[in-house]
Structures are given as structure tokens and as C-alpha cells.
Amino acid sequence: DQRIAEDARAFATTTLSLLLLMLNGIITVLAFSGVLWSISPLLFGVAVGYAGIGSLLTVLLGRPLLRLNYAQADKEAFFRRDLVHIRENAESVAFLHREGRMRARLTTHLDGLTENFGKIIKVNRHLSFFTTGYNYLIQIIPILIVAPLFIRGDVEFGVITQSSMSFSHLMGAFSLIVTQ
């Protein structure tokens, strides 16, 4: 019952949060797409492509977390079940000298928990490395594309800053999957 209630609460909270983030993202895309397009259509295309590739790679790198988190919840439930069983049947466990068997079961469950948690940490680490690099490149890409325009004299210096800010906001909206 507790796990079902937690899952339902998490689902409702996550759904509402994601809906609000998507609404905010749509408004941001509408606000900054025109600015970025007017500065450089190439920069707008790069933003869309970069967000698409980043989202795809994030999904691929993060996909194992679904299975691992579900397995972690199951392993925790089995561990708690055995702990409750031991607490409720402590007298019979002691009377029948089953302490060793119970310790072995609990150790097996605990080993499974820690092994699975280690896998979760490893996948999260890889995903965090990717998203950190992804976010750092967001600051560099517009400068690389707009700087040649400035050097040729096609745009003023302030356009570089304007393009960086517009690109950053647009990428924040396009990269909803990466940030979540």
C-alpha cells in the first residue's frame, strides 16, 4: 500500500511538473526562435539539431535507470519483508536456531541492494558527465557560429552576446529531456 501511494504521488507530481516545464518551454521557444533566426538561421538549425542529438543520447544513456530503479525498489521491498518477518517471528527463529539462515538471506538481499545501487550510481555518473559536457557546449556553440559573422563585419559585437543568450534560452527549452 505504501509503495502504491508513493508511486501515485510521484506520478502526479512528476506529470504536473513536466506539463508546466513543457508549457514554459513552448513559450520560451516562441519568444527566442525569431531572435535567433534573425541573427543566423544556421545557429537556429544547430540549436534544433544539437537538442535533438542531445535528447537522443540522454535517452540512450539513461534508459538502464528505468530497469535499475525498478529492481532497486523490488530488492528493498524483499529486504524489508524479511526484516519484518524476522521481527515478528524472532522467538521461533531463535528457538529453531535459524539465525544463520536468516542472516544469510538478509546478507544476500543486502548484497543485491548494494550491487544494484552501484549500477545506478555508475549509470548516473555517465549521464551526469554527458549532461555537464552538453551544457558547457551550449555556451561555446553560438560564439563559434556568430564570431565569423562579426569578423567579416556582418554583425556588431553585441550580437554575439545576444545570440549566446538567445541560444542558451532556446536550448533550455529544447533540451527538456536532457535537463530532466
Side-chain angles (χ1 to χ4, degrees), residues 77-166:
F78 291 138
F79 185 66
R80 282 193 304 269
R81 180 202 61 197
D82 281 352
L83 287 174
V84 168
H85 174 74
I86 291 170
R87 184 180 63 214
E88 290 176 352
N89 300 302
E91 292 177 6
S92 64
V93 169
F95 182 71
L96 298 171
H97 302 291
R98 292 190 176 171
E99 299 93 348
R101 184 182 304 168
M102 290 297 150
R103 181 181 297 122
R105 275 177 71 174
L106 288 175
T107 301
T108 301
H109 288 307
L110 191 58
D111 288 345
L113 271 168
T114 55
E115 179 184 343
N116 194 65
F117 196 65
K119 291 176 184 176
I120 290 172
I121 290 171
K122 184 177 179 183
V123 171
N124 275 323
R125 181 190 63 206
H126 294 321
L127 192 58
S128 293
F129 284 159
F130 172 75
T131 57
T132 300
Y134 177 88
N135 288 326
Y136 280 132
L137 283 176
I138 288 174
Q139 299 169 10
I140 298 170
I141 290 173
I143 295 169
L144 294 174
I145 292 176
V146 178
L149 298 175
F150 172 71
I151 292 170
R152 284 195 311 246
D154 294 342
V155 296
E156 296 178 9
F157 183 73
V159 174
I160 295 174
T161 305
Q162 184 182 19
S163 68
S164 292
M165 291 182 64
S166 296

